[in-house]
Amino acid sequence: MEELSEEEESVGQERGEDEEKQGEGEEEEKQELVPCPLTEEMLKEGLSLLCKTGNGLAHAYVKFEAKYKDLTDISLLEGFIHLRYVDLSENKLQDLSPLSNLTHLLWLKVDGNLLTSAHMQELPYLQVISFTHNQIKNMEGITHPHLASLSLKGNKIQAAMGLNTQALYSLRVLELRGNKLENTAGLRLPKLKKLYLAQNTIKSLEGLEALEQLSTLHLRDNELGTLDGFSSSMKCLQYLNLRNNAISSLQEVAKLQVLPMLQVLVLMDNPCADDSNYQQEVLDQLPNLKRLDKEPVEQN
């Protein structure tokens, strides 16, 4: 249970920073970009981790990092086909098409750029990608078959309907904190284990019945007034964070009885938590809980 507690804290503590970065991104968008292409000198500085290539007869650098360089053009990377780890965070990139040739890529981080789309050429081995704090408006064009972890935190996504759920059959972790989602429709990812939806404007839960392997769900800082939408097919959900929503009636808690494995519930900062008998009423309806809010439940 300790790991779940740490997750709660990590998801709850960056709100001010997220909003600040979004504001900075919008300001940068209005500015006229000064061309700043990747240079040979930057390449030499950023390349590291010399490894054998596929045939074992040659060596190549497989890691590249170029952060805070104001880059607008990364065309020079097209020829570095053996790269596996690339970090291009905190630049001014609007186009990732030069990465299409990097078919060995395993890990990509492009946080804090000016991307308006997550669309990329399908990369067959890509497992982790982070688009945090860009200006992405939808989830279309993400089709990497081995992608296990995807972060789109701090963007402008209003709906998840464009997500290619058939292509993303390997996805286990999805981070959508700090967007503009109003509901959960479109997140039909049966292998997903962790879903982070805090700091959106979610008013209704839809399509959750497809999340059969989900164990962790964060919905903190949204606008939920009811707890409709949970399903008995969610047999693996253990941790549910509903902090700071608009749930006013403790009767709503009974709707969580369909979750057979629920062990940790965070419901504080909802109107219903002001009830004088709040804790006891929740535990009466959910007797299998091991932790309510920040307090472990004493087993009788």
Side-chain angles (χ1 to χ4, degrees), residues 139-206:
M139 301 175 68
E140 297 175 359
I142 306 173
T143 59
H144 317 293
H146 284 91
L147 193 64
S149 178
L150 170 63
S151 177
L152 288 157
K153 182 179 76 171
N155 280 280
K156 301 179 179 180
I157 299 168
Q158 296 182 353
M161 298 303 292
L163 195 64
N164 190 331
T165 55
Q166 291 184 330
L168 297 174
Y169 51 80
S170 299
L171 198 63
R172 300 293 186 271
V173 180
L174 178 57
E175 165 68 91
L176 287 167
R177 182 169 26 136
N179 278 279
K180 298 182 178 181
L181 293 171
E182 295 185 0
N183 59 58
T184 56
L187 297 171
R188 302 187 66 82
L189 297 159
K191 297 295 181 68
L192 197 68
K193 293 186 179 297
K194 297 182 179 182
L195 177 57
Y196 300 97
L197 297 170
Q199 297 165 20
N200 280 278
T201 57
I202 295 172
K203 298 176 178 65
S204 63
L205 302 176
E206 303 171 34

Side-chain angles (χ1 to χ4, degrees), residues 207-257:
L208 295 185
E209 64 275 2
L211 303 177
E212 297 179 0
Q213 294 189 24
L214 196 70
S215 62
T216 298
L217 176 58
H218 281 268
L219 286 159
R220 177 176 177 167
D221 300 327
N222 278 286
E223 299 176 12
L224 290 169
T226 71
L227 293 179
D228 297 321
F230 290 99
S231 169
S232 58
S233 64
M234 303 174 74
K235 297 183 177 72
C236 298
L237 191 64
Q238 298 180 43
Y239 180 90
L240 176 60
N241 192 328
L242 293 163
R243 183 173 183 173
N244 194 31
N245 276 267
I247 302 162
S248 57
S249 173
L250 284 171
Q251 293 178 346
E252 291 296 317
V253 176
K255 297 173 182 177
L256 301 180
Q257 292 172 353

Side-chain angles (χ1 to χ4, degrees), residues 63-161:
K63 183 177 181 180
F64 178 70
E65 180 179 301
K67 300 167 64 176
Y68 296 98
K69 304 290 187 183
D70 289 334
L71 292 174
T72 59
D73 183 349
I74 52 171
S75 298
L76 208 54
L77 284 180
E78 289 178 337
F80 289 78
I81 60 173
H82 296 290
L83 286 175
R84 300 175 197 167
Y85 311 96
V86 171
D87 189 348
L88 295 164
S89 298
E90 309 303 333
N91 286 290
K92 297 181 179 179
L93 298 175
Q94 296 176 303
D95 177 23
L96 298 180
S97 59
L99 302 180
S100 298
N101 292 339
L102 277 55
T103 55
H104 294 276
L105 202 61
L106 301 175
W107 185 92
L108 175 63
K109 194 170 184 181
V110 285
D111 299 347
N113 279 280
L114 301 177
L115 298 166
T116 57
S117 171
H119 176 76
M120 292 178 65
Q121 181 78 20
E122 183 177 305
L123 295 170
Y125 303 113
L126 188 62
Q127 297 175 24
V128 177
I129 186 167
S130 181
F131 290 105
T132 295
H133 297 305
N134 277 273
Q135 297 166 18
I136 296 168
K137 297 178 180 178
N138 61 60
M139 301 175 68
E140 297 175 359
I142 306 173
T143 59
H144 317 293
H146 284 91
L147 193 64
S149 178
L150 170 63
S151 177
L152 288 157
K153 182 179 76 171
N155 280 280
K156 301 179 179 180
I157 299 168
Q158 296 182 353
M161 298 303 292

Side-chain angles (χ1 to χ4, degrees), residues 289-300:
L289 283 184
K290 294 184 177 178
R291 184 157 66 87
L292 175 60
D293 298 332
K294 295 184 177 182
E295 301 298 325
V297 173
E298 292 184 10
Q299 301 294 337
N300 295 326

